[in-house]
Amino acid sequence: MKSQQRSETAPQSSYAGGQRLPLGALLALATAVFVTSLTETLPAGLLPGMSADLGVGEAAVGQTVTAYAAGTALTAVPLTAATAALSRKRLLAAAMAGFAVANTVTAVSTSYPLTMVARFAAGVAAGLAWALLAGYARRIAPAHLQGRAVAVAMAGIPVALSLGVPAGTFLGEAVGWRAAFWGVTAVTVGLLGWLAAAVPDVPGTPAAGRESAEGRAPMFAVLRVPGVAAVLAVTAVFVLAHTALYAYVAAYLERLGMGGATGPVLLVFGGASLVSLWAVGAYVHGRLRTLTLASTLLVAVAAAVLAVVGDSPPLVYAAAVLWGLGWGGVPTLLQTAAADAAGDAGDAAQALLVTLWNAAMAAGGVLGGVLLARAGTAALPWSVAVLLVPVLAVVGAARAHGFPRA
């Protein structure tokens, strides 16, 4: 019933009446996701260089991830509410322009405080972008292909992890970490032209059309919709666990004597993430619950392997494969679960998901930094394994709503 109501009320573009995916437009959205995800995670492969150049410790550089996530977490909900009636295309272009400016400032900054301000500003741009990207992809696709459209758009995440972050790491080691941020700026400038040429505009939702099934309820009323709270809880803890390790993966590998292998390990992780995204895109509608459970277990097993790996590079690479297979489809799984559970209140659920996602990233950056400073890198994978236990419990319990049986 919820999906039927959504298809009747959601505004559609001219593409939505066709029978094929608008691949050109979706790939442009995927590139926007790529820029967002790469900007978010790039410091993970550049910790040593940024630490030396900015004159702060690696744990402090890790907080650039926290600053980015805090910018998104603090602004996603109010920005979503304030811009709901605006053109989606112009809004996305404004967000991408914000990324270009923030990454340029990061690339030229010699001051740690200024770098943190630029990272916070990039997070604000991300809050604007993330709140509309999944809905944008759904609205320009035929109704029966909306899940696949989201998967195509979200492909930017594993591509950023499999190609962007390793490439940035290699570039940082060869030329300097600033060149990596300049590269992201160049990609963003090119994307602005692509968006203008290939992506159809989709109107915002006027105030009269932003009524949920319960009337003009506040955005947080969506938490009362069965299943939404479960999806958001899983999002918060899963992202917290992942970020606590991923933000400091360069430091972790350095402890193992594999500091020079950060790029290859991230490349393997990202390649496995692409495989995961393909599987999720193909089966998300019929096997959402199974895929979410499998993803959680794969990341937990990967963390357990890393926790006991010792100094075995083959096991590190094997764990990276499992981690990527588990993590690659998680954004699509959670966004799909939130949209399906929320029904007509899908935009509000997505805004809250983006807020929680980035609040959890900020908390993960802090948690990982504290563990790194006080307990050493060996504690990082154990934290992931422990945190994923309640994730499995919540997904397992949400059989009727949130993560329902097929």
PDB file of all heavy atoms in Angstrom, residues 21 144-145 147-152 274-288 291 329 332-333 336:
ATOM      1  N   LEU A  21      16.135   2.558 -18.088  1.00  0.00           N
ATOM      2  CA  LEU A  21      16.813   3.477 -17.190  1.00  0.00           C
ATOM      3  C   LEU A  21      17.458   4.605 -17.987  1.00  0.00           C
ATOM      4  O   LEU A  21      18.078   4.351 -19.031  1.00  0.00           O
ATOM      5  CB  LEU A  21      17.894   2.741 -16.400  1.00  0.00           C
ATOM      6  CG  LEU A  21      17.437   1.768 -15.315  1.00  0.00           C
ATOM      7  CD1 LEU A  21      18.640   1.057 -14.725  1.00  0.00           C
ATOM      8  CD2 LEU A  21      16.668   2.486 -14.221  1.00  0.00           C
ATOM      9  N   HIS A 144       9.093   0.502 -12.016  1.00  0.00           N
ATOM     10  CA  HIS A 144       9.547  -0.866 -11.770  1.00  0.00           C
ATOM     11  C   HIS A 144      11.067  -0.984 -11.755  1.00  0.00           C
ATOM     12  O   HIS A 144      11.604  -2.051 -11.458  1.00  0.00           O
ATOM     13  CB  HIS A 144       8.962  -1.810 -12.835  1.00  0.00           C
ATOM     14  CG  HIS A 144       9.470  -1.571 -14.227  1.00  0.00           C
ATOM     15  ND1 HIS A 144       9.124  -0.453 -14.960  1.00  0.00           N
ATOM     16  CD2 HIS A 144      10.309  -2.297 -15.010  1.00  0.00           C
ATOM     17  CE1 HIS A 144       9.708  -0.500 -16.147  1.00  0.00           C
ATOM     18  NE2 HIS A 144      10.438  -1.603 -16.199  1.00  0.00           N
ATOM     19  N   LEU A 145      11.780   0.105 -12.062  1.00  0.00           N
ATOM     20  CA  LEU A 145      13.243   0.074 -12.063  1.00  0.00           C
ATOM     21  C   LEU A 145      13.839   1.059 -11.051  1.00  0.00           C
ATOM     22  O   LEU A 145      15.036   1.343 -11.100  1.00  0.00           O
ATOM     23  CB  LEU A 145      13.766   0.415 -13.469  1.00  0.00           C
ATOM     24  CG  LEU A 145      13.461  -0.601 -14.575  1.00  0.00           C
ATOM     25  CD1 LEU A 145      13.942  -0.077 -15.916  1.00  0.00           C
ATOM     26  CD2 LEU A 145      14.105  -1.949 -14.263  1.00  0.00           C
ATOM     27  N   GLY A 147      14.498   0.798  -7.827  1.00  0.00           N
ATOM     28  CA  GLY A 147      15.543   0.222  -6.984  1.00  0.00           C
ATOM     29  C   GLY A 147      16.860   0.103  -7.734  1.00  0.00           C
ATOM     30  O   GLY A 147      17.933   0.398  -7.194  1.00  0.00           O
ATOM     31  N   ARG A 148      16.786  -0.318  -8.997  1.00  0.00           N
ATOM     32  CA  ARG A 148      18.005  -0.434  -9.800  1.00  0.00           C
ATOM     33  C   ARG A 148      18.588   0.946 -10.082  1.00  0.00           C
ATOM     34  O   ARG A 148      19.806   1.114 -10.151  1.00  0.00           O
ATOM     35  CB  ARG A 148      17.693  -1.168 -11.101  1.00  0.00           C
ATOM     36  CG  ARG A 148      18.919  -1.575 -11.888  1.00  0.00           C
ATOM     37  CD  ARG A 148      18.593  -2.613 -12.932  1.00  0.00           C
ATOM     38  NE  ARG A 148      18.116  -3.848 -12.315  1.00  0.00           N
ATOM     39  CZ  ARG A 148      17.670  -4.903 -13.005  1.00  0.00           C
ATOM     40  NH1 ARG A 148      17.621  -4.855 -14.318  1.00  0.00           N
ATOM     41  NH2 ARG A 148      17.262  -5.981 -12.369  1.00  0.00           N
ATOM     42  N   ALA A 149      17.726   1.942 -10.272  1.00  0.00           N
ATOM     43  CA  ALA A 149      18.216   3.308 -10.499  1.00  0.00           C
ATOM     44  C   ALA A 149      19.015   3.801  -9.301  1.00  0.00           C
ATOM     45  O   ALA A 149      20.075   4.424  -9.455  1.00  0.00           O
ATOM     46  CB  ALA A 149      17.039   4.246 -10.779  1.00  0.00           C
ATOM     47  N   VAL A 150      18.527   3.524  -8.090  1.00  0.00           N
ATOM     48  CA  VAL A 150      19.262   3.910  -6.888  1.00  0.00           C
ATOM     49  C   VAL A 150      20.597   3.185  -6.834  1.00  0.00           C
ATOM     50  O   VAL A 150      21.635   3.764  -6.487  1.00  0.00           O
ATOM     51  CB  VAL A 150      18.429   3.631  -5.620  1.00  0.00           C
ATOM     52  CG1 VAL A 150      19.256   3.889  -4.366  1.00  0.00           C
ATOM     53  CG2 VAL A 150      17.179   4.493  -5.602  1.00  0.00           C
ATOM     54  N   ALA A 151      20.608   1.894  -7.208  1.00  0.00           N
ATOM     55  CA  ALA A 151      21.857   1.136  -7.201  1.00  0.00           C
ATOM     56  C   ALA A 151      22.867   1.722  -8.175  1.00  0.00           C
ATOM     57  O   ALA A 151      24.063   1.808  -7.875  1.00  0.00           O
ATOM     58  CB  ALA A 151      21.582  -0.328  -7.540  1.00  0.00           C
ATOM     59  N   VAL A 152      22.395   2.142  -9.370  1.00  0.00           N
ATOM     60  CA  VAL A 152      23.303   2.762 -10.339  1.00  0.00           C
ATOM     61  C   VAL A 152      23.875   4.055  -9.771  1.00  0.00           C
ATOM     62  O   VAL A 152      25.084   4.312  -9.846  1.00  0.00           O
ATOM     63  CB  VAL A 152      22.580   3.031 -11.675  1.00  0.00           C
ATOM     64  CG1 VAL A 152      23.472   3.857 -12.613  1.00  0.00           C
ATOM     65  CG2 VAL A 152      22.210   1.717 -12.350  1.00  0.00           C
ATOM     66  N   LEU A 274      32.402  -3.116  -5.433  1.00  0.00           N
ATOM     67  CA  LEU A 274      31.689  -3.064  -6.707  1.00  0.00           C
ATOM     68  C   LEU A 274      30.904  -4.345  -6.951  1.00  0.00           C
ATOM     69  O   LEU A 274      29.763  -4.315  -7.418  1.00  0.00           O
ATOM     70  CB  LEU A 274      32.673  -2.833  -7.854  1.00  0.00           C
ATOM     71  CG  LEU A 274      33.204  -1.414  -8.032  1.00  0.00           C
ATOM     72  CD1 LEU A 274      34.295  -1.387  -9.089  1.00  0.00           C
ATOM     73  CD2 LEU A 274      32.077  -0.464  -8.413  1.00  0.00           C
ATOM     74  N   VAL A 275      31.508  -5.492  -6.637  1.00  0.00           N
ATOM     75  CA  VAL A 275      30.805  -6.764  -6.784  1.00  0.00           C
ATOM     76  C   VAL A 275      29.579  -6.788  -5.875  1.00  0.00           C
ATOM     77  O   VAL A 275      28.487  -7.216  -6.274  1.00  0.00           O
ATOM     78  CB  VAL A 275      31.749  -7.937  -6.453  1.00  0.00           C
ATOM     79  CG1 VAL A 275      30.992  -9.267  -6.469  1.00  0.00           C
ATOM     80  CG2 VAL A 275      32.920  -7.985  -7.441  1.00  0.00           C
ATOM     81  N   SER A 276      29.752  -6.307  -4.652  1.00  0.00           N
ATOM     82  CA  SER A 276      28.646  -6.266  -3.699  1.00  0.00           C
ATOM     83  C   SER A 276      27.510  -5.390  -4.214  1.00  0.00           C
ATOM     84  O   SER A 276      26.332  -5.757  -4.123  1.00  0.00           O
ATOM     85  CB  SER A 276      29.151  -5.735  -2.359  1.00  0.00           C
ATOM     86  OG  SER A 276      28.092  -5.522  -1.459  1.00  0.00           O
ATOM     87  N   LEU A 277      27.861  -4.232  -4.763  1.00  0.00           N
ATOM     88  CA  LEU A 277      26.833  -3.336  -5.263  1.00  0.00           C
ATOM     89  C   LEU A 277      26.065  -3.960  -6.421  1.00  0.00           C
ATOM     90  O   LEU A 277      24.845  -3.808  -6.529  1.00  0.00           O
ATOM     91  CB  LEU A 277      27.457  -2.014  -5.705  1.00  0.00           C
ATOM     92  CG  LEU A 277      26.451  -0.960  -6.152  1.00  0.00           C
ATOM     93  CD1 LEU A 277      25.631  -0.462  -4.975  1.00  0.00           C
ATOM     94  CD2 LEU A 277      27.138   0.206  -6.838  1.00  0.00           C
ATOM     95  N   TRP A 278      26.762  -4.664  -7.297  1.00  0.00           N
ATOM     96  CA  TRP A 278      26.081  -5.347  -8.405  1.00  0.00           C
ATOM     97  C   TRP A 278      25.065  -6.349  -7.867  1.00  0.00           C
ATOM     98  O   TRP A 278      23.920  -6.411  -8.334  1.00  0.00           O
ATOM     99  CB  TRP A 278      27.091  -6.061  -9.295  1.00  0.00           C
ATOM    100  CG  TRP A 278      26.420  -6.902 -10.335  1.00  0.00           C
ATOM    101  CD1 TRP A 278      25.953  -6.520 -11.548  1.00  0.00           C
ATOM    102  CD2 TRP A 278      26.097  -8.310 -10.220  1.00  0.00           C
ATOM    103  NE1 TRP A 278      25.366  -7.579 -12.205  1.00  0.00           N
ATOM    104  CE2 TRP A 278      25.438  -8.679 -11.421  1.00  0.00           C
ATOM    105  CE3 TRP A 278      26.310  -9.271  -9.233  1.00  0.00           C
ATOM    106  CZ2 TRP A 278      24.986  -9.977 -11.644  1.00  0.00           C
ATOM    107  CZ3 TRP A 278      25.861 -10.557  -9.450  1.00  0.00           C
ATOM    108  CH2 TRP A 278      25.208 -10.905 -10.651  1.00  0.00           C
ATOM    109  N   ALA A 279      25.471  -7.148  -6.886  1.00  0.00           N
ATOM    110  CA  ALA A 279      24.561  -8.152  -6.326  1.00  0.00           C
ATOM    111  C   ALA A 279      23.360  -7.496  -5.655  1.00  0.00           C
ATOM    112  O   ALA A 279      22.216  -7.943  -5.817  1.00  0.00           O
ATOM    113  CB  ALA A 279      25.314  -9.026  -5.325  1.00  0.00           C
ATOM    114  N   VAL A 280      23.605  -6.436  -4.923  1.00  0.00           N
ATOM    115  CA  VAL A 280      22.505  -5.736  -4.253  1.00  0.00           C
ATOM    116  C   VAL A 280      21.559  -5.114  -5.277  1.00  0.00           C
ATOM    117  O   VAL A 280      20.336  -5.198  -5.149  1.00  0.00           O
ATOM    118  CB  VAL A 280      23.067  -4.666  -3.299  1.00  0.00           C
ATOM    119  CG1 VAL A 280      21.956  -3.724  -2.834  1.00  0.00           C
ATOM    120  CG2 VAL A 280      23.716  -5.330  -2.095  1.00  0.00           C
ATOM    121  N   GLY A 281      22.115  -4.492  -6.314  1.00  0.00           N
ATOM    122  CA  GLY A 281      21.268  -3.899  -7.339  1.00  0.00           C
ATOM    123  C   GLY A 281      20.386  -4.923  -8.030  1.00  0.00           C
ATOM    124  O   GLY A 281      19.242  -4.631  -8.396  1.00  0.00           O
ATOM    125  N   ALA A 282      20.903  -6.138  -8.191  1.00  0.00           N
ATOM    126  CA  ALA A 282      20.147  -7.182  -8.886  1.00  0.00           C
ATOM    127  C   ALA A 282      19.061  -7.797  -8.009  1.00  0.00           C
ATOM    128  O   ALA A 282      18.014  -8.207  -8.515  1.00  0.00           O
ATOM    129  CB  ALA A 282      21.103  -8.265  -9.376  1.00  0.00           C
ATOM    130  N   TYR A 283      19.293  -7.862  -6.687  1.00  0.00           N
ATOM    131  CA  TYR A 283      18.386  -8.634  -5.833  1.00  0.00           C
ATOM    132  C   TYR A 283      17.775  -7.852  -4.678  1.00  0.00           C
ATOM    133  O   TYR A 283      17.094  -8.447  -3.833  1.00  0.00           O
ATOM    134  CB  TYR A 283      19.139  -9.844  -5.253  1.00  0.00           C
ATOM    135  CG  TYR A 283      19.671 -10.776  -6.311  1.00  0.00           C
ATOM    136  CD1 TYR A 283      21.029 -10.821  -6.591  1.00  0.00           C
ATOM    137  CD2 TYR A 283      18.816 -11.595  -7.048  1.00  0.00           C
ATOM    138  CE1 TYR A 283      21.530 -11.671  -7.586  1.00  0.00           C
ATOM    139  CE2 TYR A 283      19.296 -12.435  -8.027  1.00  0.00           C
ATOM    140  CZ  TYR A 283      20.655 -12.473  -8.293  1.00  0.00           C
ATOM    141  OH  TYR A 283      21.144 -13.311  -9.270  1.00  0.00           O
ATOM    142  N   VAL A 284      17.963  -6.529  -4.629  1.00  0.00           N
ATOM    143  CA  VAL A 284      17.529  -5.780  -3.461  1.00  0.00           C
ATOM    144  C   VAL A 284      16.025  -5.856  -3.238  1.00  0.00           C
ATOM    145  O   VAL A 284      15.560  -5.897  -2.094  1.00  0.00           O
ATOM    146  CB  VAL A 284      17.992  -4.304  -3.576  1.00  0.00           C
ATOM    147  CG1 VAL A 284      17.352  -3.610  -4.774  1.00  0.00           C
ATOM    148  CG2 VAL A 284      17.697  -3.534  -2.294  1.00  0.00           C
ATOM    149  N   HIS A 285      15.227  -5.895  -4.300  1.00  0.00           N
ATOM    150  CA  HIS A 285      13.779  -5.875  -4.104  1.00  0.00           C
ATOM    151  C   HIS A 285      13.245  -7.175  -3.510  1.00  0.00           C
ATOM    152  O   HIS A 285      12.311  -7.154  -2.713  1.00  0.00           O
ATOM    153  CB  HIS A 285      13.072  -5.578  -5.423  1.00  0.00           C
ATOM    154  CG  HIS A 285      13.116  -4.133  -5.797  1.00  0.00           C
ATOM    155  ND1 HIS A 285      12.633  -3.132  -4.986  1.00  0.00           N
ATOM    156  CD2 HIS A 285      13.618  -3.504  -6.887  1.00  0.00           C
ATOM    157  CE1 HIS A 285      12.822  -1.957  -5.557  1.00  0.00           C
ATOM    158  NE2 HIS A 285      13.416  -2.147  -6.713  1.00  0.00           N
ATOM    159  N   GLY A 286      13.828  -8.292  -3.862  1.00  0.00           N
ATOM    160  CA  GLY A 286      13.315  -9.557  -3.347  1.00  0.00           C
ATOM    161  C   GLY A 286      14.031 -10.086  -2.130  1.00  0.00           C
ATOM    162  O   GLY A 286      13.493 -10.918  -1.401  1.00  0.00           O
ATOM    163  N   ARG A 287      15.257  -9.596  -1.874  1.00  0.00           N
ATOM    164  CA  ARG A 287      16.071 -10.182  -0.808  1.00  0.00           C
ATOM    165  C   ARG A 287      16.742  -9.132   0.074  1.00  0.00           C
ATOM    166  O   ARG A 287      17.897  -9.263   0.467  1.00  0.00           O
ATOM    167  CB  ARG A 287      17.131 -11.106  -1.418  1.00  0.00           C
ATOM    168  CG  ARG A 287      16.535 -12.222  -2.266  1.00  0.00           C
ATOM    169  CD  ARG A 287      17.578 -13.211  -2.731  1.00  0.00           C
ATOM    170  NE  ARG A 287      16.992 -14.250  -3.576  1.00  0.00           N
ATOM    171  CZ  ARG A 287      16.397 -15.337  -3.142  1.00  0.00           C
ATOM    172  NH1 ARG A 287      16.296 -15.530  -1.825  1.00  0.00           N
ATOM    173  NH2 ARG A 287      15.895 -16.223  -3.976  1.00  0.00           N
ATOM    174  N   LEU A 288      16.009  -8.074   0.370  1.00  0.00           N
ATOM    175  CA  LEU A 288      16.565  -6.989   1.182  1.00  0.00           C
ATOM    176  C   LEU A 288      17.049  -7.499   2.534  1.00  0.00           C
ATOM    177  O   LEU A 288      18.162  -7.194   2.978  1.00  0.00           O
ATOM    178  CB  LEU A 288      15.506  -5.902   1.371  1.00  0.00           C
ATOM    179  CG  LEU A 288      15.870  -4.754   2.315  1.00  0.00           C
ATOM    180  CD1 LEU A 288      17.011  -3.928   1.750  1.00  0.00           C
ATOM    181  CD2 LEU A 288      14.656  -3.868   2.580  1.00  0.00           C
ATOM    182  N   LEU A 291      20.146  -9.907   2.223  1.00  0.00           N
ATOM    183  CA  LEU A 291      21.353  -9.187   1.840  1.00  0.00           C
ATOM    184  C   LEU A 291      21.883  -8.329   2.995  1.00  0.00           C
ATOM    185  O   LEU A 291      23.106  -8.208   3.172  1.00  0.00           O
ATOM    186  CB  LEU A 291      21.061  -8.301   0.628  1.00  0.00           C
ATOM    187  CG  LEU A 291      20.867  -9.040  -0.696  1.00  0.00           C
ATOM    188  CD1 LEU A 291      20.326  -8.095  -1.766  1.00  0.00           C
ATOM    189  CD2 LEU A 291      22.177  -9.677  -1.165  1.00  0.00           C
ATOM    190  N   GLY A 329      27.292  -2.735  -0.736  1.00  0.00           N
ATOM    191  CA  GLY A 329      25.864  -2.546  -0.987  1.00  0.00           C
ATOM    192  C   GLY A 329      25.100  -1.932   0.161  1.00  0.00           C
ATOM    193  O   GLY A 329      23.885  -1.702   0.041  1.00  0.00           O
ATOM    194  N   THR A 332      22.896   1.323  -0.489  1.00  0.00           N
ATOM    195  CA  THR A 332      21.686   1.022  -1.260  1.00  0.00           C
ATOM    196  C   THR A 332      20.681   0.248  -0.417  1.00  0.00           C
ATOM    197  O   THR A 332      19.470   0.527  -0.455  1.00  0.00           O
ATOM    198  CB  THR A 332      22.049   0.215  -2.512  1.00  0.00           C
ATOM    199  OG1 THR A 332      22.936   0.983  -3.325  1.00  0.00           O
ATOM    200  CG2 THR A 332      20.813  -0.137  -3.325  1.00  0.00           C
ATOM    201  N   LEU A 333      21.144  -0.714   0.351  1.00  0.00           N
ATOM    202  CA  LEU A 333      20.248  -1.506   1.195  1.00  0.00           C
ATOM    203  C   LEU A 333      19.522  -0.623   2.205  1.00  0.00           C
ATOM    204  O   LEU A 333      18.295  -0.714   2.370  1.00  0.00           O
ATOM    205  CB  LEU A 333      21.042  -2.582   1.933  1.00  0.00           C
ATOM    206  CG  LEU A 333      21.556  -3.750   1.094  1.00  0.00           C
ATOM    207  CD1 LEU A 333      22.540  -4.592   1.903  1.00  0.00           C
ATOM    208  CD2 LEU A 333      20.401  -4.613   0.598  1.00  0.00           C
ATOM    209  N   THR A 336      17.111   1.939   0.508  1.00  0.00           N
ATOM    210  CA  THR A 336      15.926   1.242   0.016  1.00  0.00           C
ATOM    211  C   THR A 336      15.018   0.844   1.175  1.00  0.00           C
ATOM    212  O   THR A 336      13.789   0.999   1.111  1.00  0.00           O
ATOM    213  CB  THR A 336      16.325   0.001  -0.793  1.00  0.00           C
ATOM    214  OG1 THR A 336      17.146   0.400  -1.897  1.00  0.00           O
ATOM    215  CG2 THR A 336      15.103  -0.736  -1.310  1.00  0.00           C
TER     216      THR A 336
END
